[in-house]
Amino acid sequence: MGCGLIQRWLVVCVVALAVVEFHYEQAMAEPQVPCYFIFGDSLVDNGNNNNIQSLARANYLPYGVDFPDGPTGRFSNGKTTVDVIAELLGFDDYIPPYAAASGQDILRGVNYASAAAGIRSETGQQLGGRIDFTGQVNNYKTTVSQVVNILGDEDSAANYLSKCIYSVGMGSNDYLNNYFMPIYYSTGRQFSPEQYADILIQQYTEQLRTMYNYGARKFVLNGVGQIGCSPNELAQNSADGSTCIQRINVANQIFNNKLKAIVDDFNNNSPDAKFIYINAYGIFQDLMTIHHPSMGLVFAGFRVTNAGCCGVGRNNGQITCLPFQTPCQNRNEYLFWDAFHPGEAANTIVGRRSYSAEKPSDAYPMDIRRLAQL
């Protein structure tokens, strides 16, 4: 083989390797699922309440103080759990709020979450406007019709949507801003915790069926956390300011057990769909507890677990973070950002453990990472 031929052969090899590497990098850059749809409340709202008449808004500093885009409507100093999960799923940007999503953007998914929203329509009404679970699902129906228009026909849209992940995190406000708020709501007097959880799960199930009928096939059902341990509840109801309110947490566990049970029901009766349950309550329990390394457990590193980094009054929990209030400096040492919501440091741990379970109890029957691979 002459020198000229060898040189040309080397050039061809180098070009071929570059093309392979380019396509490999492209493949690596593709998210694990084509889209990620999010339904929920202020734990994951990223701007849907910004322009509605509501007290439940977070589009002002110091909210977003550690977020690259500043205040966006996220009820956190930085990222929410779904932001962390979107990164782990391989998306190159965060999922846009329904209020701002348009055009081709919706093909990556949409965040429908609304602060103060609940499963029940009246939940959170004392705070003003919000988009309840039914309203969020109705907005998703509108998105589906737009996806059909973009992709050309219903079959293409159904095939596309069947590969996406649908995250639902509803129920917290049905306790916080309904059942355990007797000054505004009668549900706490009307129903036992068991009865109330049954009613919530029935309504929740109806919305899941609607989502299924509109193309959803990969569901992530997030349990509610320990509401009785939030700075707001501790400020109002805890004698020592650190002992969690057990009656609230017990009610939350009743709801979670029933939510986990419907995962089995749906998986047994919907062979073309997969439902998983994320044990937010259990993960949160770990974050609340300072574990001793000799026990072989992880120390989360939160020095303060009973007060907000930003807020007013006892536990920084009687009034939530006010506009332009100066927050604590050591934000990563605080479990809670404000009276109700975890900070970015806690959201990062919850998001990571939801995506890739660290303990068998974190996710059932599998974690989000495995669900994405199905």
Side-chain angles (χ1 to χ4, degrees), residues 119-120 133 170-171 174-175 193-209 221-224 251-263 265-266 277:
I119 299 164
R120 290 175 67 86
F133 194 12
M170 301 296 298
D174 295 290
Y175 289 97
E194 194 81 26
Q195 290 169 330
Y196 190 61
D198 281 334
I199 292 165
L200 293 180
I201 292 296
Q202 181 187 353
Q203 293 178 279
Y204 194 117
T205 302
E206 288 170 12
Q207 300 306 328
L208 294 179
R209 288 203 179 99
L221 308 187
N222 297 276
V224 299
N252 298 156
Q253 286 175 299
I254 291 170
F255 174 83
N256 286 338
N257 290 337
K258 293 179 187 293
L259 185 62
K260 188 176 178 182
I262 67 169
V263 164
D265 289 342
F266 273 108
Y277 168 77

Side-chain angles (χ1 to χ4, degrees), residues 132-187:
D132 67 4
F133 194 12
T134 303
Q136 293 180 34
V137 172
N138 286 338
N139 286 341
Y140 166 66
K141 290 181 188 176
T142 300
T143 299
V144 171
S145 64
Q146 293 169 335
V147 170
V148 171
N149 289 337
I150 292 170
L151 297 183
D153 60 76
E154 288 187 6
D155 287 346
S156 299
N159 181 55
Y160 187 81
L161 294 171
S162 71
K163 298 168 184 165
C164 304
I165 283 181
Y166 293 77
S167 174
V168 182
M170 301 296 298
S172 295
N173 284 312
D174 295 290
Y175 289 97
L176 186 66
N177 286 302
N178 192 325
Y179 192 73
F180 289 109
M181 193 171 274
I183 190 171
Y184 291 111
Y185 302 94
S186 61
T187 48

Side-chain angles (χ1 to χ4, degrees), residues 91-149:
F91 288 96
D92 58 6
D93 201 358
Y94 301 122
I95 305 304
Y98 179 74
S102 62
Q104 298 278 333
D105 277 354
I106 66 169
L107 293 179
R108 293 189 304 112
V110 178
N111 185 333
Y112 303 96
S114 172
I119 299 164
R120 290 175 67 86
S121 60
E122 83 275 10
T123 289
Q125 64 187 3
Q126 85 281 3
L127 294 168
R130 69 253 171 256
I131 307 161
D132 67 4
F133 194 12
T134 303
Q136 293 180 34
V137 172
N138 286 338
N139 286 341
Y140 166 66
K141 290 181 188 176
T142 300
T143 299
V144 171
S145 64
Q146 293 169 335
V147 170
V148 171
N149 289 337

Side-chain angles (χ1 to χ4, degrees), residues 117 124 370:
R370 284 182 58 204

Side-chain angles (χ1 to χ4, degrees), residues 18-308:
V19 169
V20 168
E21 188 176 1
F22 172 75
H23 286 297
Y24 174 74
E25 286 177 355
Q26 268 197 320
M28 290 298 286
E30 286 295 308
Q32 294 150 38
V33 291
C35 41
Y36 183 26
F37 292 99
I38 299 150
F39 303 78
D41 51 33
S42 57
L43 292 171
V44 293
D45 185 352
N46 64 342
N48 287 312
N49 276 27
N50 288 356
N51 297 309
I52 63 178
Q53 292 297 311
S54 175
L55 294 173
R57 294 195 299 187
N59 55 338
Y60 57 84
L61 285 168
Y63 288 95
V65 65
D66 298 314
F67 194 73
D69 297 331
T72 56
R74 288 168 169 83
F75 287 74
S76 171
N77 58 306
K79 290 181 277 195
T80 65
T81 54
V82 295
D83 292 329
V84 174
I85 292 165
E87 289 175 348
L88 292 169
L89 284 170
F91 288 96
D92 58 6
D93 201 358
Y94 301 122
I95 305 304
Y98 179 74
S102 62
Q104 298 278 333
D105 277 354
I106 66 169
L107 293 179
R108 293 189 304 112
V110 178
N111 185 333
Y112 303 96
S114 172
I119 299 164
R120 290 175 67 86
S121 60
E122 83 275 10
T123 289
Q125 64 187 3
Q126 85 281 3
L127 294 168
R130 69 253 171 256
I131 307 161
D132 67 4
F133 194 12
T134 303
Q136 293 180 34
V137 172
N138 286 338
N139 286 341
Y140 166 66
K141 290 181 188 176
T142 300
T143 299
V144 171
S145 64
Q146 293 169 335
V147 170
V148 171
N149 289 337
I150 292 170
L151 297 183
D153 60 76
E154 288 187 6
D155 287 346
S156 299
N159 181 55
Y160 187 81
L161 294 171
S162 71
K163 298 168 184 165
C164 304
I165 283 181
Y166 293 77
S167 174
V168 182
M170 301 296 298
S172 295
N173 284 312
D174 295 290
Y175 289 97
L176 186 66
N177 286 302
N178 192 325
Y179 192 73
F180 289 109
M181 193 171 274
I183 190 171
Y184 291 111
Y185 302 94
S186 61
T187 48
R189 296 184 294 276
Q190 285 179 281
F191 308 110
S192 70
E194 194 81 26
Q195 290 169 330
Y196 190 61
D198 281 334
I199 292 165
L200 293 180
I201 292 296
Q202 181 187 353
Q203 293 178 279
Y204 194 117
T205 302
E206 288 170 12
Q207 300 306 328
L208 294 179
R209 288 203 179 99
T210 301
M211 291 165 63
Y212 176 87
N213 291 337
Y214 279 78
R217 290 297 181 269
K218 295 183 177 186
F219 291 82
V220 178
L221 308 187
N222 297 276
V224 299
Q226 298 190 20
I227 296 170
C229 299
S230 68
N232 180 259
E233 291 299 337
L234 294 177
Q236 294 183 81
N237 299 306
S238 177
D240 62 3
S242 60
T243 303
C244 298
I245 315 307
Q246 202 57 23
R247 63 190 174 90
I248 298 178
N249 285 348
V250 167
N252 298 156
Q253 286 175 299
I254 291 170
F255 174 83
N256 286 338
N257 290 337
K258 293 179 187 293
L259 185 62
K260 188 176 178 182
I262 67 169
V263 164
D264 282 335
D265 289 342
F266 273 108
N267 283 336
N268 291 334
N269 296 301
S270 313
D272 63 337
K274 193 68 183 179
F275 289 73
I276 70 169
Y277 168 77
I278 300 298
N279 182 18
Y281 189 102
I283 297 171
F284 205 77
Q285 177 70 53
D286 287 351
L287 302 189
M288 293 288 298
T289 309
I290 299 175
H291 297 308
H292 197 278
S294 66
M295 294 168 63
L297 298 169
V298 177
F299 170 52
F302 296 107
R303 189 177 59 81
V304 183
T305 60
N306 66 333

